[in-house]
Amino acid sequence: FFFFQAEDGIRDFCLSRGLGDVYKRQVSTQSTWVPGYEQYSTFVIYYSFPSKGYSGTRRQAFLPNNDEGNRVMRMLKIAFERRLIFTVGTSVTTGRTNCVIWNGIHHKTSIDGGTLSCLSLSNSSISGPQNYGFPDPTYLKRVKEELAAKGVYETEI
């Protein structure tokens, strides 16, 4: 079980907004697996931001507990410490302004619902990465590319 916290943790578009909140990132392992990685347990990453001058949030994300998933988790820790994972802005999903949002480093926020297609309760087709889950065979490679684009490299871990 890992626990990390940092001061002034949210990257903002302004030079400084005085975001002095403490924000937290925790990682635990659960015995369930994510589709496509059935032979491995799962890392669960918990993010928590209090509301203070902006709307706070809680998020959780999932990674397979294998060698590549472990490397991605360590790279995400570096990105988190560098305040690269979140920013304050307008939510794409809710339209709310002045809230904590993702900052271009994708996370799997659902265990399932990845590249497999399914039918929703409203009989509309749901498939692909918009469900933010597994299976997604190229996710670990893509997230490492997103991390590298923000200056976080595997050689740092």
Side-chain angles (χ1 to χ4, degrees):
F1 193 83
F2 305 93
F3 174 78
F4 312 101
Q5 73 180 36
E7 295 291 328
D8 194 21
I10 301 169
R11 176 69 44 125
D12 195 7
F13 293 113
C14 304
L15 290 178
S16 175
R17 281 187 36 180
L19 298 175
D21 312 56
V22 173
Y23 75 132
K24 299 176 182 175
R25 173 186 182 267
Q26 293 175 249
V27 179
S28 67
T29 305
Q30 65 184 34
S31 58
T32 58
W33 45 266
V34 295
Y37 297 92
E38 288 81 358
Q39 66 273 36
Y40 303 103
S41 60
T42 302
F43 287 122
V44 183
I45 305 169
Y46 300 94
Y47 296 101
S48 178
F49 295 88
S51 293
K52 186 175 180 184
Y54 51 83
S55 295
T57 191
R58 293 177 193 262
R59 299 276 191 266
Q60 69 179 14
F62 304 93
L63 289 170
N65 184 2
N66 64 3
D67 288 341
E68 190 173 18
N70 194 302
R71 286 192 302 275
V72 168
M73 183 190 62
R74 294 188 330 215
M75 292 172 73
L76 288 172
K77 178 182 183 287
I78 292 168
F80 178 83
E81 291 170 345
R82 293 180 184 169
R83 304 177 307 197
L84 300 172
I85 294 179
F86 295 94
T87 190
V88 174
T90 301
S91 170
V92 174
T93 55
T94 67
R96 291 181 71 186
T97 59
N98 200 34
C99 59
V100 177
I101 59 172
W102 297 107
N103 192 30
I105 299 172
H106 289 88
H107 285 60
K108 290 296 183 180
T109 56
S110 176
I111 287 180
D112 57 17
T115 55
L116 293 179
S117 294
C118 63
L119 201 57
S120 74
L121 293 176
S122 64
N123 290 325
S124 60
S125 178
I126 299 173
S127 65
Q130 72 266 24
N131 296 311
Y132 310 110
F134 290 94
D136 186 346
T138 62
Y139 169 69
L140 296 173
K141 178 181 183 282
R142 288 192 329 270
V143 76
K144 286 191 285 187
E145 291 169 355
E146 292 170 354
L147 286 158
K150 299 246 184 216
V152 179
Y153 304 98
E154 272 191 270
T155 56
E156 297 180 71
I157 56 174

